[in-house]
Short mmCIF file of all heavy atoms in Angstrom, two decimals:
data_model
loop_
_atom_site.label_atom_id
_atom_site.label_comp_id
_atom_site.label_asym_id
_atom_site.label_seq_id
_atom_site.Cartn_x
_atom_site.Cartn_y
_atom_site.Cartn_z
N MET A 617 -14.39 3.72 50.88
CA MET A 617 -14.63 5.06 51.42
C MET A 617 -14.48 6.14 50.33
O MET A 617 -14.34 7.28 50.56
CB MET A 617 -13.67 5.35 52.57
CG MET A 617 -13.90 4.44 53.75
SD MET A 617 -13.10 4.96 55.21
CE MET A 617 -14.15 6.27 55.81
N ALA A 618 -14.46 5.64 49.05
CA ALA A 618 -14.47 6.47 47.88
C ALA A 618 -13.31 7.46 47.77
O ALA A 618 -13.44 8.60 47.34
CB ALA A 618 -15.82 7.29 47.82
N GLY A 619 -12.10 6.94 48.09
CA GLY A 619 -10.90 7.80 48.10
C GLY A 619 -10.55 8.22 46.62
O GLY A 619 -10.26 9.40 46.42
N GLY A 620 -10.64 7.32 45.66
CA GLY A 620 -10.39 7.69 44.31
C GLY A 620 -11.36 8.70 43.79
O GLY A 620 -10.99 9.65 43.14
N SER A 621 -12.63 8.51 44.16
CA SER A 621 -13.68 9.45 43.67
C SER A 621 -13.43 10.87 44.36
O SER A 621 -13.68 11.88 43.70
CB SER A 621 -15.08 8.97 44.15
OG SER A 621 -15.29 7.68 43.61
N ALA A 622 -12.99 10.81 45.60
CA ALA A 622 -12.67 12.06 46.26
C ALA A 622 -11.62 12.80 45.55
O ALA A 622 -11.70 14.02 45.34
CB ALA A 622 -12.29 11.77 47.71
N ASP A 623 -10.54 12.07 45.12
CA ASP A 623 -9.45 12.76 44.40
C ASP A 623 -9.91 13.32 43.06
O ASP A 623 -9.46 14.38 42.69
CB ASP A 623 -8.27 11.76 44.18
CG ASP A 623 -7.69 11.26 45.51
OD1 ASP A 623 -7.97 11.94 46.51
OD2 ASP A 623 -7.06 10.20 45.45
N ALA A 624 -10.83 12.61 42.46
CA ALA A 624 -11.36 13.06 41.15
C ALA A 624 -12.16 14.35 41.38
O ALA A 624 -12.01 15.33 40.62
CB ALA A 624 -12.26 12.01 40.54
N ALA A 625 -12.96 14.41 42.42
CA ALA A 625 -13.74 15.60 42.75
C ALA A 625 -12.81 16.78 43.06
O ALA A 625 -13.02 17.87 42.59
CB ALA A 625 -14.62 15.34 43.92
N ALA A 626 -11.79 16.50 43.86
CA ALA A 626 -10.85 17.55 44.24
C ALA A 626 -10.13 18.07 42.94
O ALA A 626 -9.87 19.25 42.83
CB ALA A 626 -9.80 17.02 45.17
N ALA A 627 -9.78 17.13 42.04
CA ALA A 627 -9.07 17.58 40.79
C ALA A 627 -9.93 18.46 39.96
O ALA A 627 -9.45 19.44 39.39
CB ALA A 627 -8.59 16.34 40.03
N LEU A 628 -11.26 18.18 39.90
CA LEU A 628 -12.15 19.02 39.10
C LEU A 628 -12.12 20.47 39.64
O LEU A 628 -12.00 21.35 38.89
CB LEU A 628 -13.58 18.47 39.18
CG LEU A 628 -13.93 17.26 38.36
CD1 LEU A 628 -15.34 16.84 38.66
CD2 LEU A 628 -13.86 17.63 36.88
N LEU A 629 -12.26 20.51 40.97
CA LEU A 629 -12.35 21.86 41.60
C LEU A 629 -10.95 22.57 41.47
O LEU A 629 -10.91 23.76 41.11
CB LEU A 629 -12.68 21.67 43.05
CG LEU A 629 -13.36 22.75 43.80
CD1 LEU A 629 -14.65 23.13 43.11
CD2 LEU A 629 -13.68 22.32 45.23
N ALA A 630 -9.85 21.86 41.71
CA ALA A 630 -8.57 22.49 41.63
C ALA A 630 -8.21 22.98 40.22
O ALA A 630 -7.67 24.03 40.03
CB ALA A 630 -7.53 21.48 42.14
N CYS A 631 -8.58 22.10 39.23
CA CYS A 631 -8.24 22.47 37.84
C CYS A 631 -9.08 23.72 37.36
O CYS A 631 -8.61 24.63 36.77
CB CYS A 631 -8.47 21.32 36.89
SG CYS A 631 -7.25 20.09 37.09
N ALA A 632 -10.36 23.70 37.82
CA ALA A 632 -11.22 24.78 37.39
C ALA A 632 -10.64 26.12 37.95
O ALA A 632 -10.60 27.14 37.27
CB ALA A 632 -12.68 24.59 37.95
N ARG A 633 -10.13 26.12 39.17
CA ARG A 633 -9.57 27.33 39.76
C ARG A 633 -8.28 27.64 39.13
O ARG A 633 -7.94 28.78 38.79
CB ARG A 633 -9.37 27.04 41.31
CG ARG A 633 -8.70 28.12 42.06
CD ARG A 633 -9.58 29.42 42.08
NE ARG A 633 -10.74 29.31 42.94
CZ ARG A 633 -10.81 29.66 44.24
NH1 ARG A 633 -9.79 30.23 44.81
NH2 ARG A 633 -11.91 29.46 44.95
N LEU A 634 -7.40 26.60 38.92
CA LEU A 634 -6.10 26.86 38.28
C LEU A 634 -6.20 27.43 36.92
O LEU A 634 -5.46 28.38 36.54
CB LEU A 634 -5.28 25.50 38.21
CG LEU A 634 -3.84 25.61 37.72
CD1 LEU A 634 -2.91 26.20 38.81
CD2 LEU A 634 -3.33 24.30 37.26
N TRP A 635 -7.22 26.91 36.17
CA TRP A 635 -7.37 27.39 34.75
C TRP A 635 -8.28 28.59 34.66
O TRP A 635 -8.68 29.06 33.61
CB TRP A 635 -7.96 26.20 33.92
CG TRP A 635 -7.02 25.07 33.82
CD1 TRP A 635 -5.72 25.06 33.95
CD2 TRP A 635 -7.42 23.66 33.55
NE1 TRP A 635 -5.22 23.76 33.80
CE2 TRP A 635 -6.21 22.88 33.58
CE3 TRP A 635 -8.63 23.00 33.31
CZ2 TRP A 635 -6.21 21.49 33.30
CZ3 TRP A 635 -8.64 21.69 33.10
CH2 TRP A 635 -7.45 20.88 33.07
N GLU A 636 -8.66 29.14 35.84
CA GLU A 636 -9.49 30.29 35.95
C GLU A 636 -10.76 30.19 35.11
O GLU A 636 -11.15 31.09 34.41
CB GLU A 636 -8.64 31.57 35.50
CG GLU A 636 -7.51 31.85 36.50
CD GLU A 636 -6.67 32.99 36.09
OE1 GLU A 636 -6.86 33.56 35.04
OE2 GLU A 636 -5.74 33.35 36.78
N ALA A 637 -11.35 28.98 35.19
CA ALA A 637 -12.56 28.72 34.50
C ALA A 637 -13.79 28.90 35.47
O ALA A 637 -13.69 28.32 36.57
CB ALA A 637 -12.54 27.32 33.90
N ASP A 638 -14.72 29.61 35.00
CA ASP A 638 -15.89 29.89 35.85
C ASP A 638 -16.92 28.84 35.57
O ASP A 638 -17.82 29.01 34.75
CB ASP A 638 -16.46 31.30 35.53
CG ASP A 638 -17.44 31.71 36.57
OD1 ASP A 638 -17.59 31.03 37.63
OD2 ASP A 638 -18.13 32.70 36.30
N VAL A 639 -16.80 27.61 36.27
CA VAL A 639 -17.74 26.49 35.98
C VAL A 639 -18.78 26.49 37.05
O VAL A 639 -18.44 26.29 38.31
CB VAL A 639 -16.92 25.20 35.94
CG1 VAL A 639 -17.88 24.02 35.49
CG2 VAL A 639 -15.70 25.31 35.05
N PRO A 640 -20.06 26.61 36.75
CA PRO A 640 -21.10 26.48 37.77
C PRO A 640 -21.00 25.17 38.49
O PRO A 640 -20.71 24.08 37.89
CB PRO A 640 -22.42 26.60 36.96
CG PRO A 640 -22.04 27.15 35.67
CD PRO A 640 -20.62 26.74 35.39
N PHE A 641 -21.45 25.24 39.76
CA PHE A 641 -21.40 24.01 40.58
C PHE A 641 -22.15 22.86 39.96
O PHE A 641 -21.76 21.69 39.98
CB PHE A 641 -21.91 24.34 41.98
CG PHE A 641 -21.66 23.24 43.04
CD1 PHE A 641 -20.44 22.85 43.35
CD2 PHE A 641 -22.81 22.57 43.57
CE1 PHE A 641 -20.24 21.79 44.29
CE2 PHE A 641 -22.58 21.55 44.52
CZ PHE A 641 -21.30 21.14 44.83
N GLU A 642 -23.38 23.19 39.40
CA GLU A 642 -24.19 22.18 38.81
C GLU A 642 -23.48 21.48 37.64
O GLU A 642 -23.64 20.17 37.47
CB GLU A 642 -25.48 22.79 38.23
CG GLU A 642 -26.54 23.09 39.34
CD GLU A 642 -27.01 21.83 40.09
OE1 GLU A 642 -27.18 20.79 39.47
OE2 GLU A 642 -27.14 22.00 41.33
N THR A 643 -22.70 22.25 36.90
CA THR A 643 -21.95 21.69 35.80
C THR A 643 -20.83 20.79 36.29
O THR A 643 -20.53 19.70 35.79
CB THR A 643 -21.37 22.76 34.90
OG1 THR A 643 -22.39 23.64 34.54
CG2 THR A 643 -20.66 22.24 33.66
N LEU A 644 -20.21 21.23 37.37
CA LEU A 644 -19.13 20.41 37.99
C LEU A 644 -19.67 19.08 38.44
O LEU A 644 -19.09 18.02 38.25
CB LEU A 644 -18.50 21.10 39.20
CG LEU A 644 -17.36 22.12 38.93
CD1 LEU A 644 -16.85 22.67 40.29
CD2 LEU A 644 -16.22 21.52 38.11
N LEU A 645 -20.94 19.12 39.02
CA LEU A 645 -21.59 17.83 39.44
C LEU A 645 -21.82 16.91 38.24
O LEU A 645 -21.63 15.72 38.34
CB LEU A 645 -22.89 18.14 40.19
CG LEU A 645 -22.84 18.79 41.58
CD1 LEU A 645 -24.19 19.12 42.10
CD2 LEU A 645 -22.15 17.86 42.56
N ASP A 646 -22.22 17.52 37.11
CA ASP A 646 -22.53 16.70 35.90
C ASP A 646 -21.24 16.05 35.43
O ASP A 646 -21.15 14.87 35.05
CB ASP A 646 -23.09 17.55 34.81
CG ASP A 646 -24.55 17.88 35.10
OD1 ASP A 646 -25.18 17.25 36.02
OD2 ASP A 646 -25.04 18.85 34.48
N LEU A 647 -20.10 16.87 35.39
CA LEU A 647 -18.85 16.34 34.92
C LEU A 647 -18.35 15.30 35.91
O LEU A 647 -17.85 14.25 35.48
CB LEU A 647 -17.78 17.47 34.79
CG LEU A 647 -18.05 18.60 33.83
CD1 LEU A 647 -17.08 19.72 33.99
CD2 LEU A 647 -18.02 18.08 32.45
N ALA A 648 -18.60 15.46 37.18
CA ALA A 648 -18.18 14.48 38.23
C ALA A 648 -18.90 13.15 37.98
O ALA A 648 -18.25 12.12 38.04
CB ALA A 648 -18.49 15.07 39.61
N ALA A 649 -20.23 13.24 37.61
CA ALA A 649 -20.96 12.02 37.39
C ALA A 649 -20.38 11.21 36.18
O ALA A 649 -20.44 10.04 36.12
CB ALA A 649 -22.43 12.31 37.22
N ASP A 650 -19.86 12.01 35.17
CA ASP A 650 -19.25 11.34 34.01
C ASP A 650 -18.04 10.55 34.45
O ASP A 650 -17.71 9.51 33.82
CB ASP A 650 -18.82 12.34 33.01
CG ASP A 650 -20.00 13.03 32.29
OD1 ASP A 650 -21.10 12.48 32.42
OD2 ASP A 650 -19.79 14.06 31.66
N VAL A 651 -17.35 11.02 35.47
CA VAL A 651 -16.05 10.36 35.93
C VAL A 651 -16.38 9.16 36.77
O VAL A 651 -15.73 8.10 36.68
CB VAL A 651 -15.15 11.35 36.67
CG1 VAL A 651 -13.87 10.64 37.10
CG2 VAL A 651 -14.84 12.52 35.82
N GLY A 652 -17.42 9.23 37.56
CA GLY A 652 -17.77 8.00 38.43
C GLY A 652 -18.93 8.29 39.31
O GLY A 652 -19.18 9.46 39.69
N SER A 653 -19.68 7.27 39.73
CA SER A 653 -20.97 7.50 40.42
C SER A 653 -20.80 8.14 41.80
O SER A 653 -21.67 8.79 42.24
CB SER A 653 -21.67 6.16 40.69
OG SER A 653 -21.46 5.25 39.67
N ASP A 654 -19.65 7.88 42.44
CA ASP A 654 -19.44 8.42 43.81
C ASP A 654 -18.76 9.84 43.79
O ASP A 654 -18.52 10.44 44.82
CB ASP A 654 -18.52 7.52 44.64
CG ASP A 654 -19.31 6.30 45.12
OD1 ASP A 654 -20.59 6.26 45.00
OD2 ASP A 654 -18.62 5.40 45.71
N VAL A 655 -18.37 10.35 42.57
CA VAL A 655 -17.63 11.59 42.50
C VAL A 655 -18.47 12.82 42.87
O VAL A 655 -18.00 13.66 43.68
CB VAL A 655 -16.94 11.74 41.16
CG1 VAL A 655 -16.08 12.99 41.12
CG2 VAL A 655 -16.08 10.50 40.77
N PRO A 656 -19.71 12.89 42.37
CA PRO A 656 -20.50 14.04 42.72
C PRO A 656 -20.57 14.30 44.27
O PRO A 656 -20.51 15.40 44.76
CB PRO A 656 -21.87 13.78 42.09
CG PRO A 656 -21.56 12.89 40.95
CD PRO A 656 -20.44 12.05 41.43
N PHE A 657 -20.82 13.19 45.02
CA PHE A 657 -20.99 13.34 46.47
C PHE A 657 -19.76 13.98 47.11
O PHE A 657 -19.88 14.80 48.08
CB PHE A 657 -21.43 12.08 47.18
CG PHE A 657 -21.49 12.32 48.65
CD1 PHE A 657 -22.50 13.09 49.18
CD2 PHE A 657 -20.51 11.85 49.51
CE1 PHE A 657 -22.59 13.39 50.53
CE2 PHE A 657 -20.58 12.17 50.83
CZ PHE A 657 -21.60 12.93 51.45
N ALA A 658 -18.57 13.63 46.59
CA ALA A 658 -17.32 14.19 47.22
C ALA A 658 -17.32 15.75 47.05
O ALA A 658 -16.73 16.44 47.85
CB ALA A 658 -16.13 13.57 46.61
N LEU A 659 -17.97 16.25 46.00
CA LEU A 659 -18.11 17.75 45.80
C LEU A 659 -19.16 18.27 46.78
O LEU A 659 -19.05 19.36 47.30
CB LEU A 659 -18.52 18.05 44.37
CG LEU A 659 -17.46 17.93 43.28
CD1 LEU A 659 -18.08 18.11 41.96
CD2 LEU A 659 -16.38 18.93 43.51
N PHE A 660 -20.24 17.45 46.91
CA PHE A 660 -21.44 17.91 47.61
C PHE A 660 -21.21 17.97 49.11
O PHE A 660 -21.50 18.93 49.75
CB PHE A 660 -22.50 16.86 47.27
CG PHE A 660 -23.93 17.27 47.29
CD1 PHE A 660 -24.44 18.02 46.26
CD2 PHE A 660 -24.77 16.97 48.34
CE1 PHE A 660 -25.82 18.39 46.23
CE2 PHE A 660 -26.08 17.30 48.34
CZ PHE A 660 -26.57 18.06 47.28
N GLY A 661 -20.68 16.84 49.65
CA GLY A 661 -20.34 16.80 51.08
C GLY A 661 -21.62 16.71 51.98
O GLY A 661 -22.76 16.47 51.50
N GLY A 662 -21.42 16.83 53.29
CA GLY A 662 -22.58 16.77 54.24
C GLY A 662 -23.15 15.32 54.29
O GLY A 662 -22.38 14.34 54.31
N THR A 663 -24.44 15.27 54.32
CA THR A 663 -25.16 14.00 54.29
C THR A 663 -26.20 14.11 53.18
O THR A 663 -26.85 15.15 53.09
CB THR A 663 -25.90 13.72 55.64
OG1 THR A 663 -24.93 13.86 56.67
CG2 THR A 663 -26.49 12.36 55.66
N ALA A 664 -26.24 13.10 52.26
CA ALA A 664 -27.13 13.25 51.12
C ALA A 664 -27.67 11.93 50.69
O ALA A 664 -27.01 10.86 50.90
CB ALA A 664 -26.32 13.88 49.95
N LEU A 665 -28.78 11.99 50.11
CA LEU A 665 -29.45 10.76 49.47
C LEU A 665 -28.99 10.78 48.05
O LEU A 665 -29.11 11.74 47.27
CB LEU A 665 -30.93 10.96 49.56
CG LEU A 665 -31.76 9.81 48.94
CD1 LEU A 665 -31.56 8.48 49.68
CD2 LEU A 665 -33.27 10.14 48.98
N GLY A 666 -28.45 9.64 47.59
CA GLY A 666 -28.01 9.43 46.13
C GLY A 666 -28.84 8.37 45.54
O GLY A 666 -28.89 7.24 45.96
#
Side-chain angles (χ1 to χ4, degrees):
M617 299 192 77
S621 302
D623 298 341
L628 282 175
L629 206 57
C631 290
R633 177 65 71 93
L634 185 76
W635 297 336
E636 296 176 357
D638 191 12
V639 187
F641 189 64
E642 284 300 320
T643 308
L644 276 183
L645 287 175
D646 288 343
L647 297 172
D650 291 344
V651 181
S653 329
D654 283 352
V655 183
F657 177 70
L659 286 172
F660 209 77
T663 306
L665 178 66

